[in-house]
Amino acid sequence: MDGANHSVVSEFIFLGLTNSWDIQILLFVFSSMFYVASMTGNSLIVLTVASEPHLHSPMYFLLANLSFIDLGVSSVVSPKMIYDLFRKRKVISFRGCVTQIFFIHVIGGVEMVLLMAMAFDRYVAICKPLHYLAIMSPQMCIFFSVAAWVVGLVYSVVQMAFVVNLPFCGPNVLDSFYCDLPRFIKLACTDTHKLELMVTVNSGSISVGSFFILIIYYIVIIFTVQKHSSGGSSKAAHITVVVLFFGPLIFFYMWPTPSKNLDKFLAIFDAVFTPFLNPVIYTLRNHEMMVAMRRVCRQLMSFRKIS
Ligand SMILES: *[C@@H]1O[C@H](CO)[C@@H](O)[C@H](O)[C@H]1NC(C)=O
């Protein structure tokens, strides 16, 4: 398969989400709102954690890392989707498409590791409080954030290795609003059954695997919390994030024949709604964070007035 030379497709066409004008307007309004809200919220979290010395603890560092990657989650798919909503011909260049697939997988990988690190952090804090400072040392935090990026990059490169030499010679219409890897592979003019299976097994095993690890952590945490009967609301918040992030993912890769529109709407959910949810869930219920964020906001405002 000396594929690369056969490629004649230079761009892909998205069919988008729907042709209904009303739903498009609705999507436009909601996606833009959530996009702006999650960019603002997540930037504010990164800024707050960086500028408030008393928030320099493992939990907040990991939260800031999650917010930072959420800025990427928001930006990799939704701006293009919003821009495309009212365009008749929704095109993306071949290179743009491959770039999108690459970053979607990097970001997905990083986010999974960070969610696991955050679960581990809470597990140590609640189940082994006396060893917390020794286990969650600054080195451990740096290890987690570096590991997240390494895992994300390796995972994405592995996925790309499957597709980089695929020949594309004819059909170039993707029934989606972004370059979705399984759909992208189906367009190659070669027998792709084995490849589809490989990509599915790769992403599927990673997301199902980390989902179960996370669930196990949180079950242990919940049992410990109940034994000591202190408040469990922030753990419930963590679990909500985990389920909302992985639920649609697992559905994608595991569902044998995704019903045509449901999986697209779930994808919107992952692209637009989850990055917005993280700041809401992790900060609104956290008094310390709220106070710090207000202070940073006030500083930003007065800075603007002076300059
Ligand atoms: C991510 O975590 C590392 C290690 O704790 C920290 O030094 C860094 O500032 C964090 N990154 C962001 C963007 O907050």
Side-chain angles (χ1 to χ4, degrees):
M1 247 193 353
D2 55 352
N5 300 337
H6 295 293
S7 299
V8 288
V9 170
S10 63
E11 60 184 27
F12 292 94
I13 316 268
F14 294 143
L15 285 189
L17 280 150
T18 164
N19 288 323
S20 147
W21 188 250
D22 299 341
I23 298 182
Q24 273 175 334
I25 291 176
L26 207 70
L27 278 172
F28 178 78
V29 172
F30 278 102
S31 310
S32 322
M33 255 168 44
F34 280 119
Y35 177 68
V36 171
S38 48
M39 290 305 275
T40 317
N42 285 308
S43 316
L44 207 56
I45 291 183
V46 172
L47 210 68
T48 306
V49 172
S51 65
E52 294 281 313
H54 74 278
L55 295 184
H56 288 179
S57 71
M59 187 177 96
Y60 290 113
F61 273 139
L62 291 174
L63 177 63
N65 276 259
L66 187 70
S67 285
F68 182 71
I69 200 70
D70 273 343
L71 292 174
V73 177
S74 314
S75 303
V76 78
V77 169
S78 36
K80 166 99 179 116
M81 177 201 84
I82 294 169
Y83 173 67
D84 274 348
L85 264 176
F86 295 107
R87 285 209 310 174
K88 273 250 147 53
R89 216 168 151 267
K90 313 173 201 307
V91 269
I92 187 168
S93 68
F94 190 90
R95 208 172 271 175
C97 192
V98 172
T99 312
Q100 211 179 37
I101 293 176
F102 178 76
F103 281 110
I104 288 174
H105 287 88
V106 172
I107 287 170
V110 174
E111 180 127 356
M112 275 181 215
V113 177
L114 284 178
L115 286 174
M116 288 217 253
M118 291 174 85
F120 178 74
D121 172 76
R122 289 302 85 202
Y123 164 77
V124 176
I126 290 165
C127 304
K128 303 203 181 315
L130 297 180
H131 300 118
Y132 183 71
L133 286 181
I135 297 176
M136 290 304 292
S137 59
Q139 290 88 324
M140 193 63 163
C141 281
I142 291 169
F143 168 78
F144 274 135
S145 38
V146 172
W149 284 96
V150 171
V151 169
L153 281 169
V154 169
Y155 168 58
S156 189
V157 167
V158 168
Q159 293 285 63
M160 297 312 281
F162 289 136
V163 300
V164 80
N165 276 323
L166 281 179
F168 289 90
C169 49
N172 68 340
V173 177
L174 279 161
D175 181 16
S176 186
F177 59 96
Y178 70 104
C179 282
D180 169 34
L181 186 55
R183 286 192 169 97
F184 176 80
I185 291 179
K186 278 206 181 82
L187 292 181
C189 36
T190 174
D191 180 23
T192 57
H193 279 90
K194 246 192 226 157
L195 209 60
E196 282 172 47
L197 187 70
M198 249 150 41
V199 165
T200 306
V201 167
N202 190 12
S203 340
S205 54
I206 287 193
S207 36
V208 173
S210 42
F211 179 72
F212 280 110
I213 295 177
L214 283 167
I215 291 292
I216 289 169
Y217 267 128
Y218 284 118
I219 289 176
V220 174
I221 291 174
I222 288 172
F223 273 116
T224 315
V225 168
Q226 270 184 347
K227 255 199 327 227
H228 303 298
S229 71
S230 56
S233 65
S234 80
K235 289 97 226 167
H238 277 250
I239 294 171
T240 315
V241 170
V242 169
V243 170
L244 289 178
F245 177 72
F246 285 98
L249 264 185
I250 288 175
F251 177 84
F252 274 145
Y253 285 107
M254 296 291 111
W255 213 255
T257 44
S259 90
K260 229 173 149 202
N261 279 318
L262 185 57
D263 79 319
K264 279 197 268 181
F265 281 94
L266 281 176
I268 284 227
F269 192 79
D270 252 358
V272 173
F273 197 56
T274 33
F276 165 76
L277 221 60
N278 287 343
V280 169
I281 284 183
Y282 288 109
T283 42
L284 286 190
R285 321 194 61 148
N286 180 328
H287 184 67
E288 196 176 20
M289 190 72 198
M290 284 285 272
V291 173
M293 265 167 104
R294 266 196 222 117
R295 191 156 50 230
V296 168
C297 276
R298 266 203 304 276
Q299 270 163 9
L300 283 179
M301 301 285 206
S302 56
F303 183 71
R304 235 198 13 223
K305 261 180 238 149
I306 294 165
S307 56

